[in-house]
Amino acid sequence: MTQRFGCGLLPRGGAIRIAAVRKGREKGEATMLQERRRALLVFNGIALIATALVAGWIYFFFLLGAIDLWPIITDVPVHIGGDRRAWNMAHLEGLTNGTLLIAIGAGGHYIRLSERAQAWLFWSSLTFGWLFTLPAIANAVFGTRGLEFGRGPFPGNVTINNIIFLCGWPPITAVHIAIGLALWGCWQHYRHLGE
């Protein structure tokens, strides 16, 4: 037997379960990571991988010293700044962080957190994903490292280096928050299974 609820049909008692979940959220009880947040984490993860794909093509042309896409385009000389290590890092940051966001989103059914903790996990994940990747690309483009304020022993423009360095603090904080919350949420889900 089904009953009408909103714009779809739910099995008998389905509306009661949805109301119970909503009531639990209002009380601050732990629930699984919301579908909308999970979808946005996966979307941003794929967007980061697309960004890594673009950085990877630039890295490829950097290594060749030319745009060479035989038989379409062959040996068009190009000068791309930066060094091999920086372009490699720019490419891998997008792949790594994109994969991690997809993993958190896809594993959201196993993460049980309060509404507030879910919001912290979501926003801290987006923060570390994008703010580890975009500065790595900027380092490759501008020939900086962003590892030390004032440039340190590395080449490149001091102002750009300092901006990139300062952009590193939010994701460093965010990744610790996100991983801690994800671990805690998985543990809470495991404990909930025994109830």
Side-chain angles (χ1 to χ4, degrees):
M1 185 103 196
T2 59
Q3 66 185 48
R4 191 91 177 134
F5 185 79
C7 59
L9 295 175
L10 289 174
R12 186 176 183 101
I16 296 168
R17 283 193 297 276
I18 289 174
V21 168
R22 286 185 180 152
K23 187 176 179 184
R25 282 190 193 142
E26 290 168 7
K27 288 183 179 178
E29 292 177 11
T31 59
M32 290 183 284
L33 197 57
Q34 292 176 6
E35 183 75 21
R36 183 174 175 80
R37 286 186 175 134
R38 289 185 12 243
L40 285 170
L41 285 169
V42 171
F43 173 80
N44 277 275
I46 293 169
L48 281 165
I49 290 173
T51 303
L53 181 70
V54 172
W57 277 107
I58 297 170
Y59 180 28
F60 176 66
F61 299 144
F62 167 81
L63 292 173
L64 291 176
I67 298 174
D68 194 352
L69 300 171
W70 185 89
I72 303 165
I73 300 171
T74 57
D75 273 337
V76 176
V78 64
H79 174 72
I80 297 172
D83 64 11
R84 189 199 62 75
R85 182 216 57 85
W87 281 109
N88 187 49
M89 185 72 169
H91 177 57
L92 291 177
E93 283 286 352
L95 291 174
T96 304
N97 290 304
T99 303
L100 191 50
L101 289 189
I102 291 169
I104 293 170
H109 280 300
Y110 301 101
I111 299 173
R112 193 172 187 82
L113 294 168
S114 69
E115 177 66 28
R116 180 177 288 169
Q118 285 187 36
W120 274 93
L121 174 61
F122 176 76
W123 289 109
S124 61
S125 296
L126 293 185
T127 300
F128 81 72
W130 286 103
L131 289 182
F132 274 148
T133 303
L134 295 177
I137 294 170
N139 277 325
V141 170
F142 295 111
T144 57
R145 296 285 173 100
L147 296 174
E148 183 179 340
F149 195 80
R151 185 176 65 208
F154 306 111
N157 183 294
V158 175
T159 304
I160 293 171
N161 180 80
N162 291 345
I163 291 168
I164 293 170
F165 172 80
L166 292 173
C167 287
W169 282 102
I172 286 171
T173 304
V175 72
H176 288 86
I177 292 168
I179 297 302
L181 284 171
L183 281 169
W184 177 251
C186 288
W187 176 248
Q188 291 300 343
H189 180 73
Y190 173 76
R191 288 183 58 209
H192 181 75
L193 291 175
E195 294 174 4

